[in-house]
Structures are given as structure tokens and as C-alpha cells.
Amino acid sequence: RNNDIKIQTIKQEMKIKNNELIEQNTFISKTILIGIISISILLLIIYLLISRYNLKNRTTKELTELNATKDKFFTIISHDLKTPITSINSLTELFYENYGSINENDKMSYIKSIKESSEKLLNLTNNLLMWSNLQTKKLTPAIEIININQIIQEEINLLKQFADKKGITFDFENVNNFYVVADKSMLEFIIRNLLSNAIKFSYKGSKINIFSKQKNENIEITVSDRGIGISNEIKDKLFNINFKSTINGTDNEKGTGLGLNLSKEFLEKINGKIWFESEYGKGSSFIISLPQANKEDIYE
């Protein structure tokens, strides 16, 4: 009987220990589950916070860019548009009030100045309209296959008279018929802007080299000048919309920097790229890259 009592006691003790083990395992399982749930919730909170932070930063960045665009727009309107308008107004008023007493040489000089100011005003107004359309998403590219060397030659012919005034010559071998996929009007603007800048910042009597080459599936066009170049302080800011260049051309030509910004935005629209190499005091090379057209599409 004593043995039976001992066996019964042992069984009860084992049952109690088993119950304790079950409770411990249950507690551990619950603790692990709660820990997993807590970690999951924490990770979710961290993810949401990071997402919100990134959204806030992205929104802030967009707002900053919009404000920079607005500031640039008003700067151009208040200063760069005002200058040629004031010049035209002053010259025409002087011309009108003193016409009878002005000799023929001075008259021609006034007319020339008015013409130059009006051309600058027209060019700047066109740039502003294109830029405005870009910002409001109203300007979409009309993609087609274009002979790039033909465009370059046409723009050289268009700007030759301005280069001649500074004794600048163009070196362009129009021998390769490279075809690119782009918007014609955008491409004309880009090439014209690069050539105009090269004329503006070239030393008098120097030469501007233009050449195109195939690189992988793209066509690269390089416009190199022998001019004042770009200082290291400006290089990183050149395509920044906030940057307002105070550097005049070699014949004291002024500009807004809007042309380069427009060119960059146009190139992004047509899957192109732009970059530059420059040595201060020696000149600059601006390079653009555009997708090359497929041969079967050219002769289709």
C-alpha cells in the first residue's frame, strides 16, 4: 500500500511538472508571438515614417524647384526683358524727337541698335514661351528621323553673320549622314543655342569646331570653342535653374542662361543627354548624345 501511495504521489508530481512545462511553453509561444507581432508593427511604423519622410522630401523638392522656376521667370521678366524694351523705348523716343537734327550715320547707328534690341527681345520671348510650355506640360515632342548633319549645317548658315562680326570661323566637315530620332524644332533650338554660346564666349578671330560621331547606339555631337571657358566655381551650377550667370561674352554679350536649361530639358524629352568639358581661359566643349535611328527605318 505504501508503494501505491508513493507511485500515486510521483504521478501527481509528474502531472504538476508537465502542467508547468505546458504553461511555460504556452507562455514562451505567446511571448514569441507577441514579439513577432510587435516587431512587425514596429517595422510597419518605421516603413510608414520613412515613406512619409520621403514623400515630404519629394514634395519639398518639387516645391523648391517650382519656386526656383518662378523666381527665374520673374528675374528674366523684370531684368532681361526690361533691358531691351527700355533700350528700344529710349532710342525710338530720341529718334522721334530729334529726327531732323540727326545725321545719316547716327540714324543708321540708332536703327541698328533698335534692330539688335528687338531681335534680342524676340529671341528671349520665344525662349520664355517654350520654357513656359515645358513647365506646364503643354509642349510634347513630335518624334521623327532627322539628318543631324543637315540641321547643324543649316544652323551654321543661320549664325554665320554673327560669327563674322567677331572674325570667328566654323570648322565642320559635313561628310557623314548620321540620322537621329528626335523632335526637329527642339533639335534646331539645341544646336542653335550651343553654336550661339560658342560664338558668344569665343575669342575674336578664333575657330569653332563641330563634329559628330557614332558611339554605341547613339550619335554624339560636339561643339568646341576657343574662348574664356568655365571656371570650377560655375561648373556644378551651370544647369541649375537657380544659377544666374554674370559672365558676359568676349564682346560683352549678355545672356540669361535660360538657353542651356531649355536645351537640357528638351534633350530629356527626346531621350538625349548633354554634358561639357572645359578649361578656364582656353575654351569649352559641349557634347550632346541622341538615339541613332535604325537603318531600316531611315530607308523605309
Side-chain angles (χ1 to χ4, degrees):
R1 188 175 177 178
N2 289 334
N3 288 336
D4 290 339
I5 293 170
K6 285 181 181 179
I7 291 170
Q8 191 70 28
T9 303
I10 291 170
K11 285 182 178 179
Q12 286 177 351
E13 288 176 353
M14 289 179 65
K15 187 177 180 180
I16 291 169
K17 286 182 179 179
N18 283 335
N19 288 337
E20 287 177 352
L21 284 171
I22 291 170
E23 287 179 1
Q24 286 177 2
N25 287 335
T26 303
F27 175 77
I28 291 169
S29 298
K30 286 181 178 178
T31 303
I32 291 171
L33 182 61
I34 291 169
I36 290 170
I37 292 171
S38 299
I39 291 170
S40 299
I41 293 171
L42 181 61
L43 289 173
L44 180 61
I45 291 169
I46 291 171
Y47 171 77
L48 291 172
L49 287 172
I50 291 172
S51 299
R52 184 178 177 184
Y53 176 78
N54 287 338
L55 179 62
K56 183 180 178 182
N57 275 359
R58 188 166 66 247
T59 304
T60 303
K61 184 181 178 183
E62 288 170 358
L63 286 173
T64 301
E65 289 176 352
L66 284 172
N67 282 329
T69 300
K70 178 200 69 178
D71 292 342
K72 182 79 172 180
F73 189 81
F74 284 121
T75 298
I76 291 168
I77 289 174
S78 63
H79 180 267
D80 297 289
L81 274 177
K82 183 180 176 181
T83 301
I85 291 172
T86 303
S87 176
I88 292 169
N89 184 63
S90 299
L91 286 168
T92 50
E93 185 178 354
L94 183 66
F95 205 33
Y96 176 77
E97 292 179 353
N98 302 280
Y99 184 83
S101 59
I102 301 173
N103 62 48
E104 288 302 315
N105 288 335
D106 288 339
K107 284 178 183 177
M108 288 303 297
S109 177
Y110 287 154
I111 291 170
K112 182 183 176 184
S113 297
I114 292 169
K115 181 177 179 293
E116 289 174 352
S117 294
S118 62
E119 285 175 349
K120 182 179 179 181
L121 181 61
L122 180 61
N123 183 54
L124 187 52
T125 303
N126 287 334
N127 286 357
L128 280 171
L129 286 172
M130 284 191 289
W131 189 46
S132 175
N133 286 332
L134 267 179
Q135 305 308 316
T136 54
K137 314 296 182 186
K138 290 180 180 178
L139 191 63
T140 54
I143 300 300
E144 58 181 301
I145 295 171
I146 302 166
N147 185 323
I148 183 63
N149 282 32
Q150 182 179 329
I151 297 293
I152 294 171
Q153 189 61 61
E154 288 173 357
E155 294 304 322
I156 286 174
N157 295 340
L158 187 67
L159 295 169
K160 190 176 182 303
Q161 59 174 320
F162 300 104
D164 289 344
K165 289 179 182 178
K166 296 176 74 171
I168 294 168
T169 56
F170 293 105
D171 184 5
F172 173 56
E173 293 185 8
N174 191 0
V175 292
N176 297 310
N177 282 318
F178 288 133
Y179 289 85
V180 297
V181 180
D183 177 286
K184 190 171 185 288
S185 61
M186 288 183 179
L187 187 53
E188 286 171 341
F189 176 89
I190 293 163
I191 298 298
R192 192 182 312 129
N193 181 255
L194 294 183
L195 292 175
S196 296
N197 284 344
I199 295 169
K200 183 188 298 181
F201 296 108
S202 286
Y203 295 124
K204 291 182 178 181
S206 62
K207 184 182 292 185
I208 295 172
N209 294 88
I210 309 106
F211 59 91
S212 53
K213 67 176 182 179
Q214 181 180 356
K215 188 171 183 180
N216 300 324
E217 296 179 353
N218 297 319
I219 299 297
E220 288 185 359
I221 303 100
T222 302
V223 178
S224 296
D225 66 65
R226 294 172 179 84
I228 59 178
I230 302 165
S231 65
N232 291 330
E233 293 86 348
I234 294 176
K235 284 180 179 179
D236 293 336
K237 305 174 185 176
L238 201 60
F239 292 108
N240 190 329
I241 194 68
N242 289 304
F243 176 64
K244 167 68 177 176
S245 177
T246 56
I247 300 173
N248 293 338
T250 52
D251 205 18
N252 204 34
E253 303 100 320
K254 293 177 173 60
T256 62
L258 182 59
L260 271 180
N261 277 286
L262 264 174
S263 296
K264 183 175 181 292
E265 291 195 44
F266 280 158
L267 282 162
E268 289 172 354
K269 287 272 187 183
I270 55 179
N271 299 315
K273 294 179 181 178
I274 183 170
W275 66 96
F276 66 91
E277 299 165 357
S278 183
E279 188 174 351
Y280 191 61
K282 293 189 176 180
S284 304
S285 292
F286 279 81
I287 307 103
I288 64 171
S289 175
L290 289 162
Q292 185 176 18
N294 296 321
K295 287 183 179 179
E296 54 269 27
D297 294 330
I298 297 169
Y299 301 109
E300 197 172 65

